[in-house]
Amino acid sequence: MLYTIIAFDELKTDYKNPIDQCNTLNPTVEKVKKIKRVKIALKLVLPEYLIHAFFCVMFLCAAEWLTLGLNMPLLAYHIWRYMSRPVMSGPGLYDPTTIMNADILAYCQKEGWCKLAFYLLSFFYYLYGMIYVLVSS
Amino acid sequence: MQLPSGYGSHPPNYSAPSGHYSQVPNKAAASHLDNQYRASYYPTYYSAPAQNVMTPPVGTSVLNTQESQQLYNKTPPHTGGSAEGPIQGAISSASYLHTSAQQSYSAFGNHYSTSVSSSVASQGFPLNSDHYTMPVVSSAVYPNVSYSAAAGSVYGQAFTSQSLPAVGQFKETNTFSSQSTSVPHSLQQHVPVGYNTTLSTVSSAQSVQDNLCRNLAGSVAKVNNQINAGGIDSSQPVHPVSQSVLFTKPGAGTAVSSAVISSVRTPAPSLSSQPRSSPSVTQSPELALQEAIDSSSTTSSASPVLNNYDALEGGGYPEARSVTSSPVPAPSVPQTSKASKPFGYGYPTLQPGYQNAAPPTPVQPSNSGHHPGFQHYPQQYPGVNQLSSSLGGLSLQHSQQPESLRPVNLTQDRNILPVSSVPAPVPNLNSDLRKLNCSPDSFRCTLTNIPQTQALLNKAKLPLGLLLHPFRDLTQLPVITSSTIVRCRSCRTYINPFVSFIDQRRWKCNLCYRVNDVPEEFMYNPLTRSYGEPHKRPEVQNSTVEFIASSDYMLRPPQPAVYLFVLDVSHNAVEAGYLTIVCQSLLENLDKLPGDSRTRIGFITFDSTVQFYNLQEGLSQPQMLIVSDIDDIFLPTPDSLLVNLHESKELIKDLLNALPNMFTNTRETHSALGPALQAAFKLMSPTGGRISVFQTQLPSLGAGLLHSREDPNQRSSTKVVQHLGPATDFYKKLALDCSGQQTAVDLFLLSSQYSDLASLACMSKYSAGCIYYYPSFHRSHNPAQAEKLQKDLKRYLTRKIGFEAVMRIRCTKGLSIHTFHGNFFVRSTDLLSLANVNPDAGFAVQMSIEESLTDTSLVCFQTALLYTSSKGERRIRVHTLCLPVVSSLADVYAGADVQAVVCLLANMAVDRSVSSSLSDARDALVNAVVDSLAAYMSTASNLQQSMLIAPNSLKLFPLYILALLKQKAFRTGMSTRLDDRVYAMCQMKSQPLVHLMKMIHPNLYRIDKLIDESTIHVNDRVVPQPPLQKLSAEKLTREGAFLMDCGSIFYIWIGKNCDNNFIKDVLGYPNYASVPQKMTQLPEVDALSSERTRSFISWLRDSRPLSPVLQVIKDENPAKTDFFQHLIEDRTEAAFSYYEFLLNIQQQICK
């Protein structure tokens, strides 16, 4: 089960996202650095979506229907989220001019933590699946 | 000296309160005082009463002018050197108050008024004379002296210094006015009281006296009333100042008067001057004058503050001690007097006025007893003061609050508009704090009583937020130069009047409650030249101050002011003819552009190509460089496109003269705005600065091209309004890049067709620029717009500008910032990045309460605006606002500021309509009224549910919301062009409150029968004050003529049967039929009615930075729809009338 290894990657990408955003809440010293970091983190959203979509495709190929079913809602959410993103020419999801709005920030943060939890759970689930497959084979 | 009191005035008041309680009872306290102290103090106090006596005649005469001044924001000349009589003096003093002092001093005004009107003065006089050694003669002298002083007074301090020498009192030369006063009585005792104190003392003393007298008289109630009224009335504050001036006289002595006059000129002695003056006994008038001039040349009045480095002689502390001993701890506000400080101005104590309200009354009798005793005096005063403040609290509790809470039946009360403009509510603070608080013009909160918890706020259903006008033009502003700017070490708050001094060495931050050390330098008060009085420093005496920042506050050395003009020269633009106006205005104002010798300027024009102009010094004529590769724009030469304004002035003038004719035969219809902007960005990025873009059509070439998105058939749709958001993010990204390079983009859109302002506006929105829009602009076909452009440009080019600015808003722990509104880029949760800041920009901030505020009784908000002035100085302008916390819903409603609420809601609604939809935004607005009124009615259980009741403070709420719904930005059902709508939204986000309110709810006056009744005097002109009319056609009569003030435009509507005399006199035409369709000016006819009308209009104009355009409208004029659409109380096909709207609200509440 190769999937699990890649899942690690995915987790990492998402991990960075919410934490960096939290950092912006406590602006104290190195603001410029942080702004740069946040920018990078915000750009990682797209890879995250792609990786997740890739996973779903792999699950589909492996005929893991249950896992796929678990991931479908999130995939749909991602698609919806990307469709309703603010007007922008390049790829990306967050608008730097509105991200500091308290409502949007709070929403994004909550979203980040929820997804983190979901990825974590699914990671362990994949791990369990992999070990199960290894043991049983 | 008294005059300078802007600073000083507070101390006396404060000390007074403390004294009152404690001291009155035990006279022993008085005895404790050092002799020195007494001597110094007493004189000041005493003199004050004496002045009172004298004042009445003067005061009354002065009143009118002062009032008018205040109201109108006119700033009379400060320099008025010689004594020109009472009026002059009054004016100058008024101006002084006006700017810096206004807010804080309103309290004074109250006292003052009382003194003038009442018998107090007479009473006060006897008292003084008894105690005082002061010769009666001095009183006689008063009038003269006082006037001159007043005239000079901008700052007041100046007088003293000079006056002293004349008197021959050498020691005190340096010390300002305060000293002078003190001098006569106690020459040797040097009273450190200093400049601040004197002024303040005077006013306070007066106030005290007044109160005292009143109390004695037994009319406590009156006092209360007055206090209430006074707080609200802005005009009053002026009076105290004038009085204070008078005060000085006694000290100075008769001989002084001439000296005083000369000194008047020197408002701000420079630092250098001080050392000199202090040692030398006699300062020659010339010297002083010189100094004054130097100092004044700097920025303004404020500088004087810094100057005095005086002897330490007068230790503030002995006094302080005596005060402390007094039993009344609560009242003492640290800032006010030395004495008061020790108490700890801490939060809990602050509210004495409020809580202690009851006690004062009983005390009064005892006070009266004290009068005669000389020694008792000091005590008395404080006592009285205390009394007054507590009375103020009382009045607030018992009369004002009820007033603002008085239920108003909206459906029955038809005349809810006030006679004149709607005043900002005064926070329910004790009078000392109220005096110190920030002016509502620069800083307003939607709820002047902050709810304790978010739950309470939610219950009230009112938005909590701030409305800021941080860079407002101020004529008086304390400017502080010091090597260390005192700030809290943990939250970086600037020290402000609302901090508490725990002892002489430590202060407690009022935002995070951290205890900080007072730096050594801060112990020294340059104003009084005394040591050990950190609470008297100007930073602690003024809620609006400006610091000159050190290099710690710079990321790079201050850059020169750089202005780049990007002009559309396509066929469309040439046809409209705007170039002539722009070039003409620029030529006229070239020398007035803010900046120093390094100022640079450049020009770019564009049609389908981009043209640059080489203006390098030494060229015989400007060189045009054309870049036609708009897909990959580059700068044709690395330098000489932005040139030094002064070195290349001739070339620039040549270019401006030639530009309008250079493109007359162009056939180029395309517009490559995007590439031109990219080029401009490249040009500006090394230095930052300001880009002014003039655009006349939809950009059609290169990057950032736009397509028409407006469907004319949908203009009056009631359902969905689309395309309120940008079509591309090109302009937004450009703006963010510009913002990062400290460049702001200002957009002038002069188009006749749709130009997608929603997209274009992004370039200004996120770079902290400003947006001007002139629909259907044409130089000859639309003279009104042409005139408006001209006037706007004049203001735009000459107004103050700050570069590389950031603004941070801090608030007391527990509150947090939710959302910002305005033109800027938000860098972090509390930091706005403003590439440029201009005096016409307003901001709004939504707040939320994150933690309960139960452990504090006051909250503070502080905005700090750090900017580089056009002269290359780094400055920080700090405003601090202090508000009380309340725990009951009724109090929250009592403190609601309906104008601020409406403006904040408008901002929120704009956001909502862009992010969601217009109908959502409209619903949200209606719901805001319905919810808040329903919540109010549920708290007042005794009200009948069948009626629509609003608290008095919110009685205008439904009216304003209805006005908002009928505003161009939010209206539906009426044909509204998309650009008009978007522009209105942009304005809502970026206009300061005063202007926004006029836009939402214009003022209507009837002007055909202007009478002298209730007139005011401004600069010797009589300005009639017609009452506000309801915005309803029922108020329009065919026999009348009406003026509507919409902020940026004045309409004069002439009824068909209007009096021919009026038409002849005011309009200059024989009869109604001969009045032309397009009339934008009133002729100067030598008739009373014409004079009145013109003085009224010019008075209205003077109160705002942009001079509005005047438009005369006849009944059958096509432009009358513009006029009638503002009559928002009337029914239209698509919208409710006011009454229907109320019924609708009532229905929804009952549901």
Short mmCIF file of all heavy atoms in Angstrom, two decimals, chain B residues 642-690:
data_model
loop_
_atom_site.label_atom_id
_atom_site.label_comp_id
_atom_site.label_asym_id
_atom_site.label_seq_id
_atom_site.Cartn_x
_atom_site.Cartn_y
_atom_site.Cartn_z
N LEU B 642 11.31 61.19 -13.64
CA LEU B 642 10.84 61.87 -12.42
C LEU B 642 11.90 62.91 -12.09
O LEU B 642 13.05 62.56 -11.83
CB LEU B 642 10.74 60.87 -11.27
CG LEU B 642 9.51 59.96 -11.25
CD1 LEU B 642 9.64 58.96 -10.12
CD2 LEU B 642 8.25 60.78 -11.08
N VAL B 643 11.50 64.15 -12.13
CA VAL B 643 12.52 65.19 -11.97
C VAL B 643 12.21 66.06 -10.77
O VAL B 643 11.07 66.12 -10.29
CB VAL B 643 12.58 66.09 -13.22
CG1 VAL B 643 13.07 65.28 -14.40
CG2 VAL B 643 11.23 66.70 -13.49
N ASN B 644 13.23 66.73 -10.32
CA ASN B 644 13.05 67.63 -9.20
C ASN B 644 12.17 68.80 -9.61
O ASN B 644 12.42 69.47 -10.61
CB ASN B 644 14.42 68.14 -8.74
CG ASN B 644 14.30 68.94 -7.48
OD1 ASN B 644 13.68 70.01 -7.47
ND2 ASN B 644 14.86 68.42 -6.40
N LEU B 645 11.16 69.00 -8.82
CA LEU B 645 10.16 70.00 -9.16
C LEU B 645 10.77 71.39 -9.30
O LEU B 645 10.41 72.17 -10.16
CB LEU B 645 9.07 70.00 -8.10
CG LEU B 645 7.98 71.06 -8.20
CD1 LEU B 645 7.21 70.89 -9.49
CD2 LEU B 645 7.04 70.95 -7.03
N HIS B 646 11.70 71.69 -8.44
CA HIS B 646 12.22 73.06 -8.43
C HIS B 646 13.28 73.27 -9.51
O HIS B 646 13.36 74.33 -10.11
CB HIS B 646 12.79 73.38 -7.05
CG HIS B 646 11.77 73.20 -5.97
ND1 HIS B 646 10.78 74.11 -5.74
CD2 HIS B 646 11.54 72.17 -5.10
CE1 HIS B 646 10.01 73.67 -4.76
NE2 HIS B 646 10.44 72.50 -4.37
N GLU B 647 14.05 72.22 -9.74
CA GLU B 647 15.10 72.39 -10.74
C GLU B 647 14.54 72.44 -12.15
O GLU B 647 15.06 73.12 -13.01
CB GLU B 647 16.13 71.25 -10.62
CG GLU B 647 16.99 71.38 -9.37
CD GLU B 647 17.73 70.09 -9.06
OE1 GLU B 647 17.67 69.16 -9.88
OE2 GLU B 647 18.35 70.03 -7.98
N SER B 648 13.47 71.70 -12.37
CA SER B 648 12.96 71.62 -13.74
C SER B 648 11.63 72.33 -13.90
O SER B 648 10.81 71.97 -14.74
CB SER B 648 12.80 70.16 -14.15
OG SER B 648 13.99 69.47 -14.01
N LYS B 649 11.43 73.30 -13.08
CA LYS B 649 10.11 73.91 -13.06
C LYS B 649 9.71 74.49 -14.42
O LYS B 649 8.58 74.35 -14.87
CB LYS B 649 10.06 75.02 -12.01
CG LYS B 649 8.66 75.55 -11.81
CD LYS B 649 8.58 76.44 -10.59
CE LYS B 649 8.26 75.64 -9.36
NZ LYS B 649 8.25 76.43 -8.14
N GLU B 650 10.65 75.10 -15.10
CA GLU B 650 10.30 75.71 -16.39
C GLU B 650 9.85 74.66 -17.39
O GLU B 650 8.86 74.83 -18.09
CB GLU B 650 11.51 76.49 -16.94
CG GLU B 650 11.76 77.79 -16.20
CD GLU B 650 10.48 78.57 -15.98
OE1 GLU B 650 9.73 78.79 -16.95
OE2 GLU B 650 10.19 78.96 -14.82
N LEU B 651 10.58 73.57 -17.42
CA LEU B 651 10.22 72.49 -18.34
C LEU B 651 8.84 71.94 -18.01
O LEU B 651 8.03 71.65 -18.89
CB LEU B 651 11.24 71.36 -18.26
CG LEU B 651 12.53 71.58 -19.04
CD1 LEU B 651 13.46 70.40 -18.84
CD2 LEU B 651 12.20 71.75 -20.52
N ILE B 652 8.59 71.81 -16.72
CA ILE B 652 7.30 71.27 -16.30
C ILE B 652 6.18 72.21 -16.72
O ILE B 652 5.15 71.79 -17.24
CB ILE B 652 7.29 71.05 -14.77
CG1 ILE B 652 8.27 69.95 -14.41
CG2 ILE B 652 5.90 70.70 -14.29
CD1 ILE B 652 8.60 69.88 -12.95
N LYS B 653 6.44 73.48 -16.56
CA LYS B 653 5.41 74.44 -16.96
C LYS B 653 5.20 74.40 -18.47
O LYS B 653 4.06 74.45 -18.95
CB LYS B 653 5.82 75.85 -16.53
CG LYS B 653 5.60 76.09 -15.05
CD LYS B 653 5.92 77.52 -14.67
CE LYS B 653 5.59 77.75 -13.21
NZ LYS B 653 6.14 79.02 -12.72
N ASP B 654 6.30 74.29 -19.21
CA ASP B 654 6.16 74.16 -20.66
C ASP B 654 5.29 72.97 -21.01
O ASP B 654 4.39 73.05 -21.85
CB ASP B 654 7.54 73.97 -21.31
CG ASP B 654 8.33 75.27 -21.29
OD1 ASP B 654 7.72 76.30 -20.95
OD2 ASP B 654 9.53 75.23 -21.59
N LEU B 655 5.60 71.87 -20.36
CA LEU B 655 4.86 70.65 -20.67
C LEU B 655 3.38 70.82 -20.35
O LEU B 655 2.50 70.46 -21.14
CB LEU B 655 5.43 69.49 -19.87
CG LEU B 655 4.68 68.17 -20.04
CD1 LEU B 655 4.77 67.70 -21.48
CD2 LEU B 655 5.22 67.10 -19.11
N LEU B 656 3.09 71.39 -19.20
CA LEU B 656 1.69 71.54 -18.80
C LEU B 656 0.95 72.49 -19.74
O LEU B 656 -0.23 72.32 -20.01
CB LEU B 656 1.60 72.05 -17.36
CG LEU B 656 1.98 71.02 -16.31
CD1 LEU B 656 1.98 71.64 -14.92
CD2 LEU B 656 1.01 69.85 -16.35
N ASN B 657 1.67 73.47 -20.23
CA ASN B 657 1.01 74.38 -21.17
C ASN B 657 0.78 73.70 -22.51
O ASN B 657 -0.21 73.97 -23.19
CB ASN B 657 1.89 75.63 -21.37
CG ASN B 657 1.75 76.58 -20.20
OD1 ASN B 657 0.63 76.76 -19.70
ND2 ASN B 657 2.84 77.18 -19.77
N ALA B 658 1.69 72.83 -22.87
CA ALA B 658 1.59 72.22 -24.19
C ALA B 658 0.65 71.03 -24.21
O ALA B 658 0.01 70.75 -25.23
CB ALA B 658 2.98 71.79 -24.65
N LEU B 659 0.57 70.33 -23.10
CA LEU B 659 -0.16 69.05 -23.08
C LEU B 659 -1.58 69.13 -23.64
O LEU B 659 -1.96 68.29 -24.47
CB LEU B 659 -0.20 68.51 -21.65
CG LEU B 659 0.69 67.30 -21.34
CD1 LEU B 659 0.40 66.81 -19.94
CD2 LEU B 659 0.49 66.18 -22.33
N PRO B 660 -2.38 70.08 -23.23
CA PRO B 660 -3.78 70.06 -23.67
C PRO B 660 -3.90 70.14 -25.19
O PRO B 660 -4.89 69.66 -25.76
CB PRO B 660 -4.38 71.31 -23.01
CG PRO B 660 -3.50 71.60 -21.87
CD PRO B 660 -2.13 71.16 -22.27
N ASN B 661 -2.92 70.73 -25.84
CA ASN B 661 -3.04 70.89 -27.29
C ASN B 661 -2.27 69.84 -28.07
O ASN B 661 -2.39 69.75 -29.29
CB ASN B 661 -2.52 72.28 -27.69
CG ASN B 661 -3.29 73.37 -26.96
OD1 ASN B 661 -4.51 73.26 -26.80
ND2 ASN B 661 -2.58 74.38 -26.49
N MET B 662 -1.50 69.05 -27.37
CA MET B 662 -0.66 68.10 -28.08
C MET B 662 -1.46 67.00 -28.76
O MET B 662 -1.04 66.42 -29.75
CB MET B 662 0.35 67.49 -27.10
CG MET B 662 1.62 68.24 -27.19
SD MET B 662 2.98 67.81 -26.15
CE MET B 662 2.66 66.58 -25.11
N PHE B 663 -2.60 66.68 -28.22
CA PHE B 663 -3.32 65.51 -28.71
C PHE B 663 -4.66 65.87 -29.34
O PHE B 663 -5.53 65.02 -29.47
CB PHE B 663 -3.54 64.52 -27.58
CG PHE B 663 -2.27 64.02 -26.97
CD1 PHE B 663 -1.72 64.64 -25.87
CD2 PHE B 663 -1.61 62.94 -27.54
CE1 PHE B 663 -0.53 64.18 -25.33
CE2 PHE B 663 -0.43 62.48 -26.99
CZ PHE B 663 0.12 63.10 -25.88
N THR B 664 -4.80 67.13 -29.70
CA THR B 664 -6.13 67.54 -30.16
C THR B 664 -6.60 66.78 -31.39
O THR B 664 -7.80 66.61 -31.59
CB THR B 664 -6.16 69.05 -30.49
OG1 THR B 664 -4.93 69.37 -31.11
CG2 THR B 664 -6.37 69.87 -29.25
N ASN B 665 -5.67 66.33 -32.20
CA ASN B 665 -6.11 65.67 -33.43
C ASN B 665 -5.98 64.16 -33.36
O ASN B 665 -6.00 63.48 -34.37
CB ASN B 665 -5.28 66.19 -34.61
CG ASN B 665 -5.53 67.66 -34.80
OD1 ASN B 665 -6.66 68.13 -34.68
ND2 ASN B 665 -4.47 68.42 -35.04
N THR B 666 -5.86 63.66 -32.18
CA THR B 666 -5.65 62.21 -32.07
C THR B 666 -6.89 61.45 -32.53
O THR B 666 -8.02 61.89 -32.36
CB THR B 666 -5.29 61.83 -30.63
OG1 THR B 666 -5.01 60.44 -30.61
CG2 THR B 666 -6.44 62.10 -29.69
N ARG B 667 -6.65 60.31 -33.15
CA ARG B 667 -7.76 59.45 -33.54
C ARG B 667 -7.70 58.14 -32.78
O ARG B 667 -8.41 57.19 -33.07
CB ARG B 667 -7.68 59.15 -35.03
CG ARG B 667 -8.11 60.34 -35.84
CD ARG B 667 -7.60 60.26 -37.25
NE ARG B 667 -7.89 61.51 -37.95
CZ ARG B 667 -9.05 61.74 -38.55
NH1 ARG B 667 -10.00 60.85 -38.55
NH2 ARG B 667 -9.26 62.90 -39.14
N GLU B 668 -6.83 58.12 -31.85
CA GLU B 668 -6.63 56.89 -31.09
C GLU B 668 -7.76 56.73 -30.08
O GLU B 668 -7.94 57.58 -29.22
CB GLU B 668 -5.29 57.00 -30.36
CG GLU B 668 -4.76 55.71 -29.87
CD GLU B 668 -4.64 54.69 -30.98
OE1 GLU B 668 -3.76 54.82 -31.84
OE2 GLU B 668 -5.48 53.76 -30.97
N THR B 669 -8.52 55.67 -30.21
CA THR B 669 -9.63 55.51 -29.28
C THR B 669 -9.32 54.50 -28.20
O THR B 669 -10.08 54.36 -27.24
CB THR B 669 -10.89 55.06 -30.02
OG1 THR B 669 -10.58 53.87 -30.73
CG2 THR B 669 -11.38 56.12 -30.96
N HIS B 670 -8.23 53.77 -28.35
CA HIS B 670 -7.96 52.74 -27.36
C HIS B 670 -7.27 53.32 -26.13
O HIS B 670 -6.69 54.39 -26.17
CB HIS B 670 -7.09 51.65 -27.97
CG HIS B 670 -7.87 50.73 -28.84
ND1 HIS B 670 -8.88 49.94 -28.36
CD2 HIS B 670 -7.83 50.50 -30.18
CE1 HIS B 670 -9.41 49.25 -29.35
NE2 HIS B 670 -8.80 49.58 -30.48
N SER B 671 -7.35 52.54 -25.10
CA SER B 671 -6.77 53.01 -23.86
C SER B 671 -5.98 51.87 -23.23
O SER B 671 -6.55 50.83 -22.91
CB SER B 671 -7.90 53.46 -22.93
OG SER B 671 -7.45 53.47 -21.62
N ALA B 672 -4.70 52.07 -23.09
CA ALA B 672 -3.85 51.03 -22.51
C ALA B 672 -3.53 51.40 -21.08
O ALA B 672 -2.38 51.68 -20.74
CB ALA B 672 -2.59 50.88 -23.34
N LEU B 673 -4.53 51.41 -20.26
CA LEU B 673 -4.34 51.84 -18.87
C LEU B 673 -3.40 50.89 -18.12
O LEU B 673 -2.52 51.33 -17.38
CB LEU B 673 -5.70 51.92 -18.16
CG LEU B 673 -5.64 52.24 -16.68
CD1 LEU B 673 -5.09 53.63 -16.46
CD2 LEU B 673 -7.01 52.12 -16.04
N GLY B 674 -3.63 49.59 -18.31
CA GLY B 674 -2.84 48.60 -17.56
C GLY B 674 -1.35 48.79 -17.75
O GLY B 674 -0.61 48.95 -16.77
N PRO B 675 -0.89 48.80 -18.99
CA PRO B 675 0.54 48.99 -19.20
C PRO B 675 1.04 50.32 -18.65
O PRO B 675 2.14 50.37 -18.08
CB PRO B 675 0.66 48.97 -20.73
CG PRO B 675 -0.51 48.17 -21.18
CD PRO B 675 -1.60 48.44 -20.21
N ALA B 676 0.24 51.35 -18.79
CA ALA B 676 0.66 52.64 -18.25
C ALA B 676 0.85 52.56 -16.75
O ALA B 676 1.80 53.11 -16.18
CB ALA B 676 -0.35 53.72 -18.60
N LEU B 677 -0.04 51.83 -16.09
CA LEU B 677 0.09 51.69 -14.65
C LEU B 677 1.31 50.86 -14.28
O LEU B 677 2.00 51.16 -13.30
CB LEU B 677 -1.17 51.02 -14.08
CG LEU B 677 -2.38 51.94 -13.96
CD1 LEU B 677 -3.60 51.14 -13.53
CD2 LEU B 677 -2.10 53.02 -12.93
N GLN B 678 1.56 49.84 -15.08
CA GLN B 678 2.76 49.03 -14.80
C GLN B 678 4.01 49.89 -14.91
O GLN B 678 4.92 49.79 -14.10
CB GLN B 678 2.82 47.86 -15.78
CG GLN B 678 1.81 46.77 -15.43
CD GLN B 678 1.74 45.71 -16.52
OE1 GLN B 678 1.88 46.01 -17.70
NE2 GLN B 678 1.49 44.48 -16.11
N ALA B 679 4.01 50.72 -15.95
CA ALA B 679 5.15 51.61 -16.12
C ALA B 679 5.26 52.56 -14.93
O ALA B 679 6.35 52.79 -14.40
CB ALA B 679 5.01 52.40 -17.40
N ALA B 680 4.13 53.07 -14.52
CA ALA B 680 4.13 54.00 -13.39
C ALA B 680 4.66 53.31 -12.14
O ALA B 680 5.45 53.89 -11.38
CB ALA B 680 2.72 54.52 -13.14
N PHE B 681 4.26 52.09 -11.96
CA PHE B 681 4.73 51.35 -10.79
C PHE B 681 6.24 51.19 -10.84
O PHE B 681 6.94 51.38 -9.85
CB PHE B 681 4.04 49.99 -10.74
CG PHE B 681 4.65 49.04 -9.77
CD1 PHE B 681 4.64 49.31 -8.42
CD2 PHE B 681 5.25 47.87 -10.21
CE1 PHE B 681 5.21 48.45 -7.52
CE2 PHE B 681 5.83 47.00 -9.31
CZ PHE B 681 5.81 47.28 -7.96
N LYS B 682 6.75 50.85 -12.03
CA LYS B 682 8.20 50.69 -12.15
C LYS B 682 8.92 52.00 -11.84
O LYS B 682 9.96 52.01 -11.20
CB LYS B 682 8.55 50.25 -13.58
CG LYS B 682 8.31 48.78 -13.80
CD LYS B 682 8.78 48.37 -15.17
CE LYS B 682 8.45 46.91 -15.41
NZ LYS B 682 8.61 46.55 -16.82
N LEU B 683 8.32 53.05 -12.30
CA LEU B 683 8.94 54.35 -12.11
C LEU B 683 8.96 54.74 -10.63
O LEU B 683 9.89 55.35 -10.13
CB LEU B 683 8.14 55.39 -12.91
CG LEU B 683 8.79 56.69 -13.30
CD1 LEU B 683 10.12 56.42 -13.99
CD2 LEU B 683 7.87 57.44 -14.24
N MET B 684 7.92 54.37 -9.93
CA MET B 684 7.76 54.82 -8.55
C MET B 684 8.40 53.90 -7.53
O MET B 684 8.64 54.31 -6.41
CB MET B 684 6.28 54.93 -8.20
CG MET B 684 5.51 55.95 -8.99
SD MET B 684 6.06 57.59 -8.68
CE MET B 684 5.20 57.97 -7.17
N SER B 685 8.64 52.65 -7.92
CA SER B 685 8.98 51.69 -6.88
C SER B 685 10.23 52.03 -6.07
O SER B 685 10.30 51.66 -4.91
CB SER B 685 9.04 50.28 -7.45
OG SER B 685 9.82 50.26 -8.60
N PRO B 686 11.24 52.71 -6.62
CA PRO B 686 12.38 53.00 -5.74
C PRO B 686 12.04 53.93 -4.58
O PRO B 686 12.60 53.82 -3.51
CB PRO B 686 13.40 53.67 -6.67
CG PRO B 686 12.95 53.36 -8.05
CD PRO B 686 11.49 53.15 -8.00
N THR B 687 11.15 54.87 -4.79
CA THR B 687 10.91 55.85 -3.74
C THR B 687 9.54 55.75 -3.10
O THR B 687 9.37 56.12 -1.95
CB THR B 687 11.01 57.28 -4.32
OG1 THR B 687 10.14 57.36 -5.44
CG2 THR B 687 12.41 57.60 -4.73
N GLY B 688 8.57 55.27 -3.82
CA GLY B 688 7.21 55.37 -3.33
C GLY B 688 6.69 56.77 -3.59
O GLY B 688 7.44 57.63 -4.06
N GLY B 689 5.45 56.99 -3.33
CA GLY B 689 4.88 58.31 -3.57
C GLY B 689 3.43 58.19 -4.00
O GLY B 689 2.73 57.30 -3.53
N ARG B 690 3.02 59.09 -4.84
CA ARG B 690 1.62 59.11 -5.21
C ARG B 690 1.48 59.10 -6.73
O ARG B 690 2.10 59.89 -7.42
CB ARG B 690 0.96 60.37 -4.66
CG ARG B 690 -0.51 60.46 -4.98
CD ARG B 690 -1.14 61.63 -4.28
NE ARG B 690 -0.86 62.88 -4.97
CZ ARG B 690 -1.18 64.08 -4.49
NH1 ARG B 690 -1.77 64.18 -3.32
NH2 ARG B 690 -0.91 65.18 -5.15
#
